[in-house]
Amino acid sequence: MYIIKSIKHMRSAIVVVLGMLSPAMASIWPIPFVYTNGTSNTAANNAQITARSPTSPILDAAIRRYNELIEYESFTPPTDYNKRPPATEGSLAGLSVLVIDDDDETLSLDTDESYTLDIPTDGMAKLKASSVYGAMRGMETYSQLLVFNGGSRFIKSTPIHIEDKPMLKHRGLLLDTARNYYPVGDILRTLDAMSFNKMNIFHWHIVDSQSWPVESKTFPDLQSKGAYATNMQYSYKDVQKVINYARLRGIRVIPEFDMPGHTYAVGLSKPEIMSCLNKQPSWDNFAPEPPSGQLNIAKPAARDFAIDIVSEYVRLFPDNVFHLGGDEVNRNCWKEDPDVRAYLGANPEETVESLLVDFYDKLHGAVESLNRTGMTWEETLFHSNYVPPKNTIIQSWIDEASIPKTVAKGYRSIASPASAYYLDCGHGSWLSNVAGTSWCDPFKTWMHIYNFDPMANITSAKERKLVIGAEVALWSEQSDPTVLDARLWPRAAAMAETAWSGKTDSRGHVRTTKEVAQRLHNQRFRMVGRGIMAEPLQPLWCARNPGACFSP
Amino acid sequence: MYIIKSIKHMRSAIVVVLGMLSPAMASIWPIPFVYTNGTSNTAANNAQITARSPTSPILDAAIRRYNELIEYESFTPPTDYNKRPPATEGSLAGLSVLVIDDDDETLSLDTDESYTLDIPTDGMAKLKASSVYGAMRGMETYSQLLVFNGGSRFIKSTPIHIEDKPMLKHRGLLLDTARNYYPVGDILRTLDAMSFNKMNIFHWHIVDSQSWPVESKTFPDLQSKGAYATNMQYSYKDVQKVINYARLRGIRVIPEFDMPGHTYAVGLSKPEIMSCLNKQPSWDNFAPEPPSGQLNIAKPAARDFAIDIVSEYVRLFPDNVFHLGGDEVNRNCWKEDPDVRAYLGANPEETVESLLVDFYDKLHGAVESLNRTGMTWEETLFHSNYVPPKNTIIQSWIDEASIPKTVAKGYRSIASPASAYYLDCGHGSWLSNVAGTSWCDPFKTWMHIYNFDPMANITSAKERKLVIGAEVALWSEQSDPTVLDARLWPRAAAMAETAWSGKTDSRGHVRTTKEVAQRLHNQRFRMVGRGIMAEPLQPLWCARNPGACFSP
């Protein structure tokens, strides 16, 4: 439908043939929803972006940012190496941006990120969007169309018409800043890289058993005793900087305060509300990894603490969604806890399970009363007796099959299966006496990630609509700033395309990794040029010779 | 023997108990051959190194380098975090270095790298070595003994007496600079990192099918047509810079010019001497990976070319050892080559195998006549009818079992089994349509590397002596400058210790990864402080709590 409409507007337009990419489209990642292009080349020495509409500070900042990026960037696709500059049939006069509905700049699941982009063979290119965030997505596409050759800038395959919008509303990246610490600068660079791939959710797994790096005004000792060091902390100012930086790039920040498990670091300042603190050497009876420690669900003070945490941090994190964790709780930790045993002895109608249900109920109730949508790992839904509120967002990680199970129960699902989306996996066990693999080996290659379909085995349209997102995760047992970029990129980009563009093109063809490899090479080399140390996919020879490095 | 002798010289000396490390020794990697230490702490604000003997430019440069390093370094072991500075019983007056036999500064397999280091509780420390290279190893150990706390520098566990020497003469690292290119600066940084781990061989896999980055004066087109780009080349000056930089760190540079396979890039300028150039799409009938291409062994011009290459590069690379490659030749490439078929038709007494034997014979003969020792991958010995000269060094990679097989045949062996020492493995297939694993998965963890014993299953003392080295390899299908440091370090350090110190301590105890983890953490964090982006082993919490992160 889009294609037909577009063709009417364009002379010399050609429709893309299955698996054949025009030079222009070869440089776009993720691939737009629909597009048509011609066969001309346009000189683009003047590529300046200007606003056609009343602007906002957010739009202004985005235009300034992309104008700067365009000014310093000089990306040449590997396939253009040693080729002559193309003959041009016209000159670009810049890009003018129109945002139709400028009023509501709140970022949420309902934000409209769609845009249309028209690039003529000669004259002014036009970008139209319903929101400033859609405009940013369009500017990113525009920046990717600009390629260098022999000291000059071009847009190939003009005229170009693009109508674009995301398939999934939540295209996320989780970073664990607790097992190892990442300076704010690393997080900001990651947000930049996400924006290059039209990702829109930074899931900040900010605390865990190993450390509590974030400032707390309610309980200052959480940070002073729980952070790794005074220079390994996130102050309120740091957090606000991250949130603002993200917002300017159309990225929501969803904080996760994981409770009641994964909380050893809380015990450094509040041992009185904890169970099974750092049991050694048999930590494996109490926790999935050392150090063990869980909030003591038999103690009202532990529940109050959890609610205080939510109450404090909903004020710091403006996003509508608040992640409560809820993963990997260990029942034995509580069963062996003397306080829990005493409580259960005095209250024979209670069990560990009923205490846990009560804990979840209070916590989710607090989130609701604070006007937030709760998000939680799948265990809360599948491995406890608790029934979360129907609007809770359930994040799957244990099993790909829990995505269809989640939506079958009527809950919204975020797909983060460890088997496909855990970017830290594949580096073997990290326990010092284990020379073998880890539970989540092998390494998830970009092809494996690209092939995964969050919608697999979900046929009903209603249930497919409940799969609202996909999210890659970088857990930090074996990651820290030294490896951040290479662990994330370009593999997170592989997910980003399937989440934005879907697995299938407008003709119903399921894209293959062999077809998209050239575009991902381009995206990877472009990201390296933009300062992101994305790892290489293949020898440079393969990037220059598309289709030559595959298994026959 | 060493221990007893040392004790005589030292008051309050204690001998190390199995698995228990003094604070001083916890900061040394690789662990010295034998050592004793006391229980005092020495202030080390004055840690300046001076020469006691007539110096040489190489020794001068090493002293200057370590004095600079000591001046800027302020390493605090993770276990000392938030601890008070120790009480001191004396002050260091610096380190004086004596090189006994200063005359021959040639680097070779016979270089004596031993040293003795004495650090008193109070006064001047003394380092004695037979060669400038042994002195460097001792200065490295000395630099690692210096730790910071609360703004001051200390040496703990004084007095210290160390007598150290390597178990293996060849402790190598292979870098493939052909599949992807590494700037000279990356190589120099890698040489620094090697010296921090007492490694002494840089095996420069400098050319391969994908590119020919090195300048050739005999055939300038090899580089102009075979390098990836004009800024992706190694000029003679660059190579000399690498060799000199390496020599100043006691590192030999062994060049590899891999022939007759892995030579597609030669065909870009000399197609007339090649077979099966870039067969597509069925490259797998002709080569282990794309692009296919081998020197045409039926053509005298190809043999002459190979000999010309050796003749040119023995002049550029002064090391006594010259690596000829010889791996992964594909017989079918020649069997289907029209020239080879015509030749064999006209010479029915010849076969592909006899041509290959003749090629090897000419090439190894040329190396010998140029006063070099040939080195070659194991296929030359095991998978061809050729019998290499007895002094040829055989590098194993296919099978751990080929190490004992090599020495049983009386050849010297370098252990580089892919199953243990290939640092690039574990990232899955890199072919764009394969979502699964690669032949050399999984990832080799540092524990797996540490556990590998190059001497395994070799019992005769004579044969064990023929295992002269161990070498880790970084092939570059999925590596380039973005990931160099993290792919190499600290895993190469795990091999470096087993190659320098052996698997067994002086009491016959086989070291376990659980025991050495704390020292490797220290080495990793020290390397990061020295500018090497070594990947993390565990959460920082584990580095601060030795023994808490293992499988019970």
Side-chain angles (χ1 to χ4, degrees):
Chain A
M1 185 187 72
Y2 280 123
I3 292 174
I4 291 162
K5 191 185 75 181
S6 319
I7 288 172
K8 280 195 290 184
H9 295 290
M10 298 161 77
R11 258 178 262 183
S12 80
I14 55 160
V15 177
V16 141
V17 179
L18 200 76
M20 292 277 291
L21 274 180
S22 67
M25 291 307 143
S27 76
I28 302 186
W29 189 277
I31 195 88
F33 185 58
V34 287
Y35 55 90
T36 56
N37 58 259
T39 54
S40 298
N41 298 301
T42 297
N45 295 317
N46 175 14
Q48 190 81 6
I49 306 173
T50 48
R52 248 202 300 172
S53 53
T55 63
S56 76
I58 292 182
L59 184 62
D60 274 349
I63 290 175
R64 208 161 45 239
R65 192 167 71 243
Y66 276 101
N67 275 332
E68 268 172 31
L69 187 153
I70 287 167
E71 180 150 348
Y72 79 67
E73 187 163 58
S74 60
F75 175 70
T76 304
T79 43
D80 284 359
Y81 174 71
N82 256 356
K83 291 208 178 131
R84 285 168 189 279
T88 55
E89 286 86 37
S91 290
L92 191 69
L95 173 72
S96 81
V97 180
L98 175 67
V99 175
I100 295 160
D101 179 2
D102 212 8
D103 293 344
D104 186 6
E105 296 188 341
T106 311
L107 266 177
S108 76
L109 263 182
D110 298 323
T111 297
D112 184 338
E113 296 175 276
S114 68
Y115 68 91
T116 62
L117 176 62
D118 278 285
I119 298 176
T121 299
D122 194 75
M124 183 67 88
K126 283 177 186 163
L127 171 63
K128 202 164 71 176
S130 298
S131 77
V132 292
Y133 304 109
M136 284 174 207
R137 305 296 174 241
M139 284 188 258
E140 177 57 40
T141 300
Y142 174 71
S143 76
Q144 294 184 8
L145 286 166
L146 296 164
V147 293
F148 252 72
N149 193 337
S152 293
R153 195 163 50 200
F154 304 89
I155 295 183
K156 297 189 191 174
S157 321
T158 55
I160 294 170
H161 175 77
I162 290 173
E163 306 199 10
D164 204 6
K165 61 178 186 183
M167 184 189 71
L168 297 179
K169 288 290 193 177
H170 175 126
R171 304 174 306 280
L173 183 153
L174 176 154
L175 183 64
D176 161 15
T177 61
R179 290 186 174 87
N180 281 308
Y181 176 84
Y182 298 81
V184 170
D186 285 336
I187 297 176
L188 303 185
R189 191 176 67 258
T190 300
L191 293 167
D192 280 331
M194 288 172 65
S195 76
F196 302 153
N197 293 282
K198 301 190 171 69
M199 297 176 80
N200 70 342
I201 303 287
F202 179 62
H203 174 164
W204 196 348
H205 185 88
I206 197 165
V207 295
D208 210 297
S209 275
Q210 286 81 359
S211 78
W212 185 287
V214 65
E215 180 177 3
S216 171
K217 295 203 192 283
T218 319
F219 308 107
D221 278 355
L222 279 175
Q223 175 195 26
S224 64
K225 298 192 174 168
Y228 274 140
T230 49
N231 64 350
M232 292 182 160
Q233 302 184 344
Y234 304 111
S235 67
Y236 264 49
K237 260 196 164 161
D238 290 333
V239 171
Q240 280 152 355
K241 191 174 187 178
V242 167
I243 292 170
N244 291 336
Y245 197 91
R247 185 178 184 224
L248 289 173
R249 283 149 187 82
I251 298 171
R252 296 163 50 206
V253 178
I254 297 180
E256 178 184 352
F257 286 83
D258 196 353
M259 298 179 282
H262 288 280
T263 44
Y264 165 78
V266 172
L268 294 171
S269 55
K270 303 195 152 295
E272 69 280 4
I273 60 168
M274 302 299 296
S275 297
C276 69
L277 272 182
N278 196 19
K279 295 281 191 185
Q280 290 285 358
S282 57
W283 55 261
D284 56 331
N285 291 331
F286 302 92
E289 70 184 30
S292 62
Q294 296 183 169
L295 295 179
N296 186 333
I297 51 176
K299 292 201 171 175
R303 280 200 300 270
D304 293 347
F305 169 81
I307 291 167
D308 286 345
I309 289 298
V310 176
S311 307
E312 172 171 1
Y313 290 112
V314 294
R315 290 196 298 273
L316 181 58
F317 290 90
D319 199 79
N320 174 259
V321 176
F322 195 96
H323 202 306
L324 292 165
D327 57 318
E328 296 190 308
V329 297
N330 183 305
R331 268 71 172 175
N332 188 59
C333 167
W334 291 313
K335 283 184 185 142
E336 295 197 11
D337 182 281
D339 292 318
V340 175
R341 291 165 78 104
Y343 179 87
L344 293 180
N347 299 274
E349 76 288 1
E350 295 263 37
T351 61
V352 161
E353 204 55 36
S354 70
L355 287 173
L356 181 60
V357 166
D358 190 48
F359 180 88
Y360 282 145
D361 194 48
K362 294 271 196 316
L363 204 54
H364 281 261
V367 166
E368 229 169 2
S369 74
L370 292 160
N371 294 315
R372 291 295 195 274
T373 300
M375 183 163 161
T376 183
W377 294 105
E378 63 174 284
E379 288 98 319
T380 311
L381 179 62
F382 292 121
H383 303 149
S384 85
N385 291 337
Y386 180 59
V387 180
K390 249 325 168 357
N391 76 333
T392 307
I393 298 169
I394 307 293
Q395 186 165 19
S396 291
W397 70 279
I398 298 173
D399 192 350
E400 297 178 9
S402 33
I403 305 160
K405 276 168 59 191
T406 297
V407 297
K409 278 177 175 271
Y411 287 93
R412 290 178 291 177
S413 169
I414 304 293
S416 296
S419 57
Y421 285 170
Y422 272 23
L423 301 179
D424 52 303
C425 298
H427 297 88
S429 171
W430 53 273
L431 297 170
S432 62
N433 58 340
V434 180
T437 56
S438 98
W439 66 272
C440 78
D441 281 354
F443 184 80
K444 315 308 171 200
T445 64
W446 78 264
M447 295 81 102
H448 181 71
I449 291 167
Y450 198 90
N451 285 345
F452 177 73
D453 182 1
M455 303 281 191
N457 304 316
I458 305 173
T459 47
S460 117
K462 193 179 140 212
E463 290 184 1
R464 289 173 76 88
K465 254 187 92 173
L466 289 173
V467 179
I468 59 170
E471 201 176 288
V472 289
L474 186 65
W475 301 101
S476 295
E477 283 89 350
Q478 293 162 299
S479 304
D480 77 0
T482 56
V483 298
L484 178 63
D485 287 14
R487 290 273 200 277
L488 291 176
W489 310 106
R491 292 182 298 145
M495 188 219 72
E497 169 151 308
T498 57
W500 176 279
S501 320
K503 304 275 302 166
T504 314
D505 71 14
S506 55
R507 307 166 140 244
H509 169 68
V510 177
R511 293 182 192 91
T512 69
T513 54
K514 189 181 169 198
E515 287 161 14
V516 305
Q518 182 192 352
R519 278 194 301 109
L520 189 56
H521 273 302
N522 285 342
Q523 179 72 346
R524 184 264 170 178
F525 281 102
R526 185 194 313 275
M527 288 179 75
V528 171
R530 291 180 180 184
I532 310 297
M533 293 292 98
E535 67 179 0
L537 307 174
Q538 293 184 324
L540 177 55
W541 188 88
C542 299
R544 287 190 184 161
N545 293 277
C549 294
F550 73 106
S551 176
Chain B
M1 184 186 71
Y2 280 123
I3 292 175
I4 291 161
K5 190 184 75 179
S6 320
I7 288 173
K8 282 195 289 185
H9 296 290
M10 298 163 77
R11 260 179 261 182
S12 78
I14 55 159
V15 177
V16 141
V17 179
L18 198 78
M20 291 275 293
L21 273 180
S22 66
M25 291 306 145
S27 77
I28 302 186
W29 189 276
I31 194 88
F33 185 57
V34 287
Y35 55 91
T36 56
N37 58 258
T39 55
S40 298
N41 297 302
T42 297
N45 294 317
N46 176 14
Q48 190 82 4
I49 307 173
T50 48
R52 251 199 302 169
S53 53
T55 63
S56 77
I58 292 181
L59 184 62
D60 275 350
I63 290 175
R64 206 162 47 240
R65 195 168 68 244
Y66 276 100
N67 275 330
E68 270 173 30
L69 187 153
I70 287 167
E71 181 153 347
Y72 80 67
E73 187 163 59
S74 60
F75 175 69
T76 304
T79 44
D80 285 359
Y81 174 70
N82 256 356
K83 290 208 179 126
R84 284 168 189 280
T88 54
E89 286 84 38
S91 290
L92 191 69
L95 172 73
S96 81
V97 180
L98 176 67
V99 175
I100 296 158
D101 179 3
D102 212 8
D103 293 345
D104 186 4
E105 296 188 342
T106 310
L107 265 178
S108 77
L109 264 183
D110 299 323
T111 296
D112 184 339
E113 295 174 276
S114 68
Y115 67 91
T116 62
L117 176 63
D118 278 285
I119 298 177
T121 297
D122 193 74
M124 183 68 89
K126 283 177 186 161
L127 171 64
K128 203 164 71 178
S130 300
S131 77
V132 292
Y133 304 109
M136 283 174 207
R137 305 295 174 240
M139 285 187 258
E140 178 57 39
T141 300
Y142 174 71
S143 77
Q144 294 183 7
L145 286 166
L146 297 164
V147 292
F148 252 72
N149 193 338
S152 293
R153 195 164 48 202
F154 305 88
I155 295 183
K156 297 188 193 176
S157 322
T158 56
I160 295 168
H161 175 77
I162 290 173
E163 306 200 8
D164 204 7
K165 62 178 186 182
M167 184 189 72
L168 297 179
K169 288 288 195 181
H170 175 125
R171 305 175 305 281
L173 183 153
L174 175 153
L175 183 65
D176 160 15
T177 61
R179 291 186 173 87
N180 281 308
Y181 176 83
Y182 298 82
V184 170
D186 284 337
I187 297 176
L188 302 185
R189 192 176 65 257
T190 299
L191 294 167
D192 281 330
M194 289 172 64
S195 74
F196 303 152
N197 293 282
K198 300 188 170 71
M199 297 176 79
N200 70 341
I201 302 287
F202 180 62
H203 174 163
W204 197 347
H205 185 88
I206 196 164
V207 297
D208 209 298
S209 275
Q210 286 80 358
S211 78
W212 185 288
V214 66
E215 179 177 3
S216 171
K217 295 202 191 281
T218 319
F219 308 106
D221 277 355
L222 280 176
Q223 174 195 27
S224 65
K225 297 191 175 167
Y228 274 141
T230 50
N231 64 349
M232 292 182 159
Q233 302 184 344
Y234 305 111
S235 67
Y236 265 49
K237 261 196 163 159
D238 291 332
V239 171
Q240 281 152 355
K241 189 174 187 178
V242 167
I243 292 169
N244 291 333
Y245 196 90
R247 185 177 185 226
L248 289 174
R249 284 150 187 82
I251 298 170
R252 296 163 50 206
V253 178
I254 297 181
E256 178 184 353
F257 286 84
D258 196 353
M259 298 181 281
H262 289 279
T263 44
Y264 165 78
V266 173
L268 294 172
S269 55
K270 303 195 151 298
E272 69 281 4
I273 59 167
M274 302 299 297
S275 296
C276 70
L277 272 183
N278 196 19
K279 295 282 192 185
Q280 291 284 0
S282 57
W283 54 262
D284 56 330
N285 292 331
F286 303 92
E289 70 183 32
S292 62
Q294 297 183 169
L295 295 179
N296 187 332
I297 51 176
K299 293 199 170 176
R303 281 200 300 270
D304 293 346
F305 168 81
I307 291 166
D308 287 345
I309 289 298
V310 176
S311 309
E312 172 170 0
Y313 291 111
V314 296
R315 290 197 299 273
L316 180 57
F317 290 90
D319 198 80
N320 173 261
V321 176
F322 195 96
H323 201 306
L324 291 165
D327 57 319
E328 297 189 307
V329 297
N330 184 304
R331 269 72 172 173
N332 187 60
C333 166
W334 291 313
K335 283 185 185 142
E336 295 198 11
D337 182 282
D339 292 319
V340 175
R341 291 166 79 104
Y343 180 88
L344 294 180
N347 300 273
E349 76 288 1
E350 295 262 39
T351 62
V352 161
E353 203 56 37
S354 70
L355 287 172
L356 182 60
V357 166
D358 190 49
F359 179 88
Y360 283 145
D361 194 47
K362 295 271 196 317
L363 205 53
H364 282 261
V367 166
E368 230 168 2
S369 74
L370 292 160
N371 294 314
R372 291 296 195 276
T373 300
M375 182 164 162
T376 183
W377 294 105
E378 63 174 281
E379 289 98 319
T380 311
L381 179 62
F382 293 121
H383 304 149
S384 86
N385 292 337
Y386 180 58
V387 180
K390 249 328 168 355
N391 75 335
T392 306
I393 298 169
I394 307 294
Q395 186 165 18
S396 290
W397 69 280
I398 299 172
D399 193 350
E400 296 177 10
S402 33
I403 305 160
K405 277 168 60 189
T406 297
V407 297
K409 278 176 175 271
Y411 287 93
R412 290 178 291 178
S413 169
I414 304 291
S416 298
S419 57
Y421 285 170
Y422 272 24
L423 301 179
D424 52 302
C425 298
H427 296 88
S429 170
W430 52 273
L431 297 170
S432 63
N433 58 338
V434 180
T437 55
S438 99
W439 65 274
C440 78
D441 281 353
F443 183 81
K444 316 307 171 200
T445 64
W446 78 264
M447 294 81 101
H448 181 73
I449 292 167
Y450 198 90
N451 286 344
F452 177 72
D453 181 2
M455 303 282 190
N457 303 316
I458 305 173
T459 48
S460 117
K462 193 179 141 212
E463 290 184 1
R464 288 172 75 88
K465 255 186 91 172
L466 289 173
V467 180
I468 58 170
E471 201 176 289
V472 288
L474 186 65
W475 301 101
S476 296
E477 283 90 348
Q478 293 162 297
S479 304
D480 77 0
T482 57
V483 298
L484 177 62
D485 286 14
R487 289 273 200 278
L488 291 176
W489 310 106
R491 294 183 299 145
M495 188 219 73
E497 169 152 306
T498 57
W500 176 277
S501 319
K503 303 276 303 167
T504 312
D505 70 15
S506 55
R507 308 167 138 243
H509 169 68
V510 178
R511 292 183 193 90
T512 68
T513 54
K514 190 182 168 196
E515 288 160 14
V516 305
Q518 182 192 354
R519 278 194 300 110
L520 188 55
H521 272 301
N522 284 342
Q523 179 72 344
R524 183 264 168 177
F525 280 102
R526 187 194 313 277
M527 290 180 73
V528 171
R530 291 181 180 183
I532 309 298
M533 293 291 99
E535 67 179 359
L537 308 174
Q538 292 184 325
L540 177 54
W541 188 87
C542 300
R544 288 192 183 160
N545 294 277
C549 294
F550 74 105
S551 177

